[in-house]
Amino acid sequence: MIFNRYEWRLVLRVLYLFATVTATAFVLVKGQYPYLIITGPAVIYCVFSMISFQQKAQQEVSQFVESIHYRDFSRHFDVHRAPDELKPLRKGFNDINTTFKVISRERETQYYYLQKILELVDTGILSYEEETGETGWINEAFKNLLGIPYLKSIHSLEKREEALYKDIIKLKPGDSNIVTINRNQQLVKILVTASLLRSEGKLYKLLAFQNVSEALDETESKAWQKLLSVMTHEIMNSVAPISSLADTLKNRLKSPEIAGSPVSSQLEDLELGIDTIKKRSEGLLKFTESYRNLNKITRLDLEKVLVCDLFENLNNLMQPSLEKKNIELDIILRDLSVAIEVDVNLIEQVLINLLVNAIEAVKDQKEPVITLSAETTANNKIVLKISDNGIGMPPELLDKIFIPFFSTRKTGSGIGLSLCKQIMLLHKGNIKVQSVEGKGSAFLLQFN
């Protein structure tokens, strides 16, 4: 083997040097100086030979270290043309380079897979160095979620989303928090989770951003359904006997024996009070019955329908009311073949409710306009949009309008938008609102 041969050559060099030095010492001790002409050059040759070997080895090592420094693992050290004493060294360098190349390829592959995974997930990912705030990982989901194409430093986020920035800075590793941001005039709830990681001596904060608006909306809707079911049951059980009793008392007061008695005139106030109780009880029963509608919708009769047909039916139905109030209805539909699979009756009810609200919002405008439109998003979701140039809504109302019992109108029952939301959730879709106070509102129906 080459290594054994090199080992023996090294041993012979050492023995040869030892022999020449011993001979020189013997000559000097015996005083036979003429022999120094032979032993002296032999010692000098052995010393320079060892120094030359050391320099060659050091030069080879320096070249290898330089290639490592510049990450040049493609360099090949020629073993066959090398001196025998350097062949093991060069072979070792080549083996190390091969190992580094394998490790480098594995790391590049892992890095590539990690990048692909981060780009495929819907969760937004952001990492930044704790000390400087300089960002590291940023995936497309984060950019799309917050509408930020580029972020050099985490501190740059303060100018765009100040509330979100403060929550991120305060968030401790292992904790999570739900933050509400305004995205395209829509309130979006984001679950932010933080963790720490250390890389190359630096400490990074890793943040995950997940849009939980739809999940929270569905959970909230189910909670309201349970609450309304209990409330309507208890209210109707309590109010129905009161209404019945009031009706019985009123009929009793109108009976001949009481109506013709001397105290009949004194019972007029009592009759008026009983009549008021009866009317209010009946009103409360009707009000409660209307909220039962929220829980009645449990099954869908799905069929595929063209959006243009939906809009045409809605236009024919609402046209008399629109003309009476001089409201212009614009229908924008670039692709007439766009179709959705829905329960037509329920979706028409949603569109009617939203159109009625829009009519109410624009009734006092000089040039009232309501627009119906449809579009297909980049991820192949169909969105129907009902927009108006009405009075709009302040930001603090946007997250309340879908809550049952809540209404911005004095005569409103607060059931319309709640019902719309439940119908959309049953369709595995969602309803969102965009509004600017004084400029108008837009409701977006998103179908998967």
Side-chain angles (χ1 to χ4, degrees):
M1 294 177 65
I2 294 178
F3 182 77
N4 290 336
R5 190 190 309 170
Y6 162 72
E7 187 178 34
W8 280 112
R9 288 172 66 89
L10 183 61
V11 170
L12 290 174
R13 280 175 180 273
V14 173
L15 290 174
Y16 184 63
L17 177 62
F18 177 76
T20 55
V21 171
T22 302
T24 303
F26 179 79
V27 168
L28 290 173
V29 171
K30 294 296 183 179
Q32 298 177 357
Y33 299 111
Y35 288 102
L36 290 175
I37 298 174
I38 299 173
T39 59
V43 171
I44 294 171
Y45 170 76
C46 288
V47 171
F48 274 98
S49 178
M50 294 290 288
I51 292 174
S52 176
F53 170 74
Q54 182 64 27
Q55 286 179 339
K56 287 180 180 178
Q58 187 175 358
Q59 185 178 4
E60 294 282 333
V61 172
S62 297
Q63 291 176 359
F64 176 71
V65 170
E66 183 180 7
S67 66
I68 294 296
H69 177 72
Y70 290 105
R71 300 180 182 272
D72 182 15
F73 304 121
S74 62
R75 185 169 182 175
H76 178 75
F77 294 87
D78 193 348
V79 177
H80 298 291
R81 297 182 182 180
D84 289 342
E85 59 269 20
L86 293 178
K87 284 182 178 180
L89 193 63
R90 288 193 175 184
K91 183 178 182 302
F93 290 160
N94 288 336
D95 291 342
I96 293 173
N97 271 345
T98 301
T99 303
F100 269 117
K101 280 191 275 189
V102 171
I103 294 173
S104 179
R105 281 198 298 268
E106 289 178 352
R107 289 187 63 182
E108 286 178 2
T109 302
Q110 291 174 355
Y111 182 82
Y112 175 78
Y113 280 142
L114 182 58
Q115 272 191 321
K116 286 298 181 184
I117 290 170
L118 288 177
E119 295 306 327
L120 288 174
V121 296
D122 292 333
T123 302
I125 302 294
L126 167 68
S127 69
Y128 68 91
E129 189 182 346
E130 281 250 287
E131 185 177 349
T132 63
E134 185 177 351
T135 56
W137 286 99
I138 300 180
N139 68 347
E140 288 298 321
F142 172 82
K143 297 176 183 177
N144 295 333
L145 183 61
L146 297 183
I148 299 176
Y150 177 72
L151 196 65
K152 184 177 182 180
S153 169
I154 190 65
H155 306 302
S156 304
L157 186 63
E158 186 175 11
K159 297 178 181 178
R160 297 174 176 266
E161 296 286 348
E162 185 177 355
L164 179 61
Y165 169 77
K166 290 179 179 178
D167 285 330
I168 287 174
I169 296 300
K170 290 189 296 184
L171 196 62
K172 296 180 180 179
D175 291 346
S176 58
N177 188 28
I178 294 179
V179 182
T180 303
I181 64 170
N182 195 314
R183 178 82 172 90
N184 295 331
Q185 300 175 3
Q186 298 180 27
L187 293 179
V188 179
K189 294 181 178 66
I190 299 175
L191 176 65
V192 185
T193 307
S195 60
L196 283 181
L197 61 91
R198 188 179 296 275
S199 176
E200 298 179 354
K202 296 180 180 179
L203 195 62
Y204 290 88
K205 192 172 185 179
L206 183 65
L207 300 167
F209 299 80
Q210 189 173 3
N211 188 343
V212 293
S213 294
E214 293 185 7
L216 289 177
D217 286 345
E218 187 172 354
T219 303
E220 182 181 327
S221 177
K222 290 180 180 178
W224 276 115
Q225 287 181 45
K226 292 179 180 178
L227 176 62
L228 291 172
S229 178
V230 174
M231 287 183 63
T232 53
H233 178 74
E234 294 300 324
I235 290 173
M236 294 194 75
N237 284 350
S238 300
V239 175
I242 295 175
S243 178
S244 177
L245 182 60
D247 192 46
T248 301
L249 290 174
K250 185 178 179 180
N251 292 333
R252 179 63 176 163
L253 290 174
K254 290 182 178 180
S255 64
E257 59 270 21
I258 295 178
S261 67
V263 296
S264 60
S265 58
Q266 300 176 15
L267 297 177
E268 291 180 359
D269 291 339
L270 180 60
E271 184 179 353
L272 181 62
I274 292 173
D275 192 48
T276 302
I277 292 173
K278 183 177 183 300
K279 288 180 180 179
R280 293 305 303 159
S281 299
E282 289 175 348
L284 186 56
L285 284 172
K286 289 180 180 178
F287 178 79
T288 307
E289 183 64 30
S290 67
Y291 277 99
R292 276 190 167 182
N293 295 329
L294 286 174
N295 294 324
K296 286 181 179 178
I297 305 169
T298 56
R299 295 176 57 187
L300 298 177
D301 185 13
L302 296 176
E303 61 177 292
K304 201 164 188 178
V305 60
L306 292 172
V307 174
C308 61
D309 291 340
L310 276 178
F311 285 175
E312 185 179 356
N313 292 340
L314 187 64
N315 180 52
N316 293 335
L317 180 65
M318 302 300 294
Q319 195 60 43
S321 298
L322 294 169
E323 289 179 353
K324 184 177 180 181
K325 298 180 180 181
N326 295 318
I327 298 173
E328 181 182 352
L329 179 64
D330 287 341
I331 298 178
I332 302 174
L333 191 59
R334 294 183 177 88
D335 185 1
L336 297 178
S337 64
V338 174
I340 51 179
E341 190 173 11
V342 295
D343 187 315
V344 177
N345 293 326
L346 293 180
I347 293 301
E348 282 185 347
Q349 186 61 51
V350 171
L351 292 172
I352 290 170
N353 286 350
L354 295 177
L355 194 55
V356 168
N357 286 350
I359 291 173
E360 183 68 22
V362 301
K363 66 179 183 180
D364 296 326
Q365 300 297 100
K366 292 182 178 179
E367 297 180 358
V369 178
I370 299 173
T371 304
L372 292 177
S373 61
E375 63 178 11
T376 304
T377 62
N379 52 358
N380 293 323
K381 292 184 177 181
I382 297 173
V383 178
L384 307 186
K385 187 175 182 181
I386 299 92
S387 57
D388 62 69
N389 64 343
I391 55 177
M393 290 177 285
E396 60 268 18
L397 293 184
L398 296 182
D399 59 343
K400 298 178 182 179
I401 59 175
F402 295 108
I403 296 176
F405 306 103
F406 182 85
S407 176
T408 57
R409 301 200 305 264
K410 291 182 179 180
T411 58
S413 65
I415 189 175
L417 290 178
S418 301
L419 187 61
C420 292
K421 186 170 186 177
Q422 183 178 340
I423 291 172
M424 289 304 299
L425 289 175
L426 283 172
H427 282 81
K428 307 301 181 184
N430 206 348
I431 179 172
K432 297 180 181 295
V433 60
Q434 299 173 343
S435 187
V436 178
E437 193 170 8
K439 294 186 177 180
S441 302
F443 285 85
L444 289 79
L445 306 178
Q446 180 179 292
F447 297 88
N448 294 324

